[in-house]
Amino acid sequence: MNKIKSIVLAGLGITIGLASCDSGNIRRTPGHIYAPDMTYSRAYDAYTLNPNFADSQTSRLPVAGTIARGHMLPDHLKEGDTTAYKTFTTNMRFNADEMKEGGRLFNIYCAICHGPNLDGQGPLFASGKFASMPANFKDAKYLHMPVGQMYAAAKYGKNMMGSYASQLDMKQRWMVIAYIKKIQADNGGDAFTFGENGTTSPVAAKTDSVKADMPMAANVPMAANTIKHKAKARGKHGSLEADK
């Protein structure tokens, strides 16, 4: 009797188990789902049609004004905006190795036209293949040229010079310009401000100005004599009251 009962219970358990399985053709109701759109979301591959957008495109353009990661430094110049070029600059400053790299990049991309000495006597012009001379960065016309104009020329091109935006990234363009400005500063151009320390600090400038107004500080022998005189007075009177 017990054996029959066990067989019945086993058969019942198997039947219930089979009944609980999905037949494959019938979807059972899974119950309540907290976020069904997350559970059964539909993904769209890039460059495929997407009915959720007015243009039916899955791939979206960045939001206007966004800047790619790693490109937070300003580079918002627009081609042809010559007014903006004259005031455009950067807060980047370069150490000795970066200045050396700027010179290397200049020799690779610029020297063939502008010359390794920045005098416009590059191999292409010297060969007679150019009708007009490239910019001579040591000429008065370019010695004081705003850095923004130079940057725009490197990015967008100028006259016969093509764009170097694909060859030089933003930092590299500024390194090349810093190199040019350093050479110009050594040849009568504006003071060089792209080094690690930038321009002279206001505090240092004020200190230098004060020193310049103090002839005693510039006259070392006179200052030494004054010190000896005070020391002698201190030894004779025990204080500096005798100097008054």
Side-chain angles (χ1 to χ4, degrees), residues 60-90:
R60 314 305 304 163
L61 292 173
V63 176
T66 55
I67 301 174
R69 185 185 297 273
H71 293 77
M72 292 305 292
L73 292 172
D75 187 15
H76 53 268
L77 282 181
K78 293 182 179 179
E79 186 172 6
D81 191 351
T82 56
T83 301
Y85 295 167
K86 294 179 181 179
T87 58
F88 186 68
T89 186
T90 181

Side-chain angles (χ1 to χ4, degrees), residues 195-240:
E196 280 185 306
N197 297 326
T199 56
T200 303
S201 67
V203 175
K206 184 176 180 180
T207 302
D208 292 340
S209 176
V210 172
K211 289 181 178 179
D213 294 335
M214 297 174 62
M216 294 290 288
N219 193 332
V220 176
M222 186 179 294
N225 291 335
T226 303
I227 294 173
K228 288 180 180 179
H229 172 71
K230 290 186 177 182
K232 184 177 180 181
R234 183 181 292 107
K236 183 177 180 180
H237 301 284
S239 68
L240 293 179

Side-chain angles (χ1 to χ4, degrees), residues 12-31:
L12 182 61
I14 293 173
T15 301
I16 294 173
L18 292 173
S20 64
C21 295
D22 194 344
S23 64
N25 297 323
I26 300 176
R27 179 181 176 83
R28 296 179 297 106
T29 302

Side-chain angles (χ1 to χ4, degrees), residues 157-178:
K158 177 71 172 178
N159 298 329
M160 294 180 65
M161 172 181 163
S163 168
Y164 281 82
S166 62
Q167 293 93 329
L168 299 169
D169 62 28
M170 180 170 53
K171 183 177 180 181
Q172 289 174 326
R173 292 171 215 153
W174 282 118
M175 284 196 293
V176 169
I177 293 171

Side-chain angles (χ1 to χ4, degrees), residues 36-53:
D37 56 333
M38 297 291 289
T39 303
Y40 302 110
S41 62
R42 179 176 180 179
Y44 292 90
D45 292 330
Y47 307 111
T48 60
L49 295 178
N50 190 325
N52 296 300
F53 299 105

Side-chain angles (χ1 to χ4, degrees), residues 115-220:
N117 296 320
L118 285 73
D119 56 1
Q121 299 295 319
L124 285 183
F125 178 70
S127 67
K129 295 183 178 180
F130 276 7
S132 59
M133 177 179 170
N136 174 3
F137 292 121
K138 293 181 179 178
D139 185 78
K141 179 180 178 181
Y142 297 98
L143 277 179
H144 306 286
M145 175 176 281
V147 294
Q149 286 184 277
M150 292 184 173
Y151 184 91
K155 183 177 181 180
Y156 297 114
K158 177 71 172 178
N159 298 329
M160 294 180 65
M161 172 181 163
S163 168
Y164 281 82
S166 62
Q167 293 93 329
L168 299 169
D169 62 28
M170 180 170 53
K171 183 177 180 181
Q172 289 174 326
R173 292 171 215 153
W174 282 118
M175 284 196 293
V176 169
I177 293 171
Y179 172 76
I180 295 172
K181 283 299 179 182
K182 180 63 174 68
I183 302 299
Q184 288 182 330
D186 296 337
N187 289 271
D190 298 328
F192 181 68
T193 60
F194 285 97
E196 280 185 306
N197 297 326
T199 56
T200 303
S201 67
V203 175
K206 184 176 180 180
T207 302
D208 292 340
S209 176
V210 172
K211 289 181 178 179
D213 294 335
M214 297 174 62
M216 294 290 288
N219 193 332
V220 176

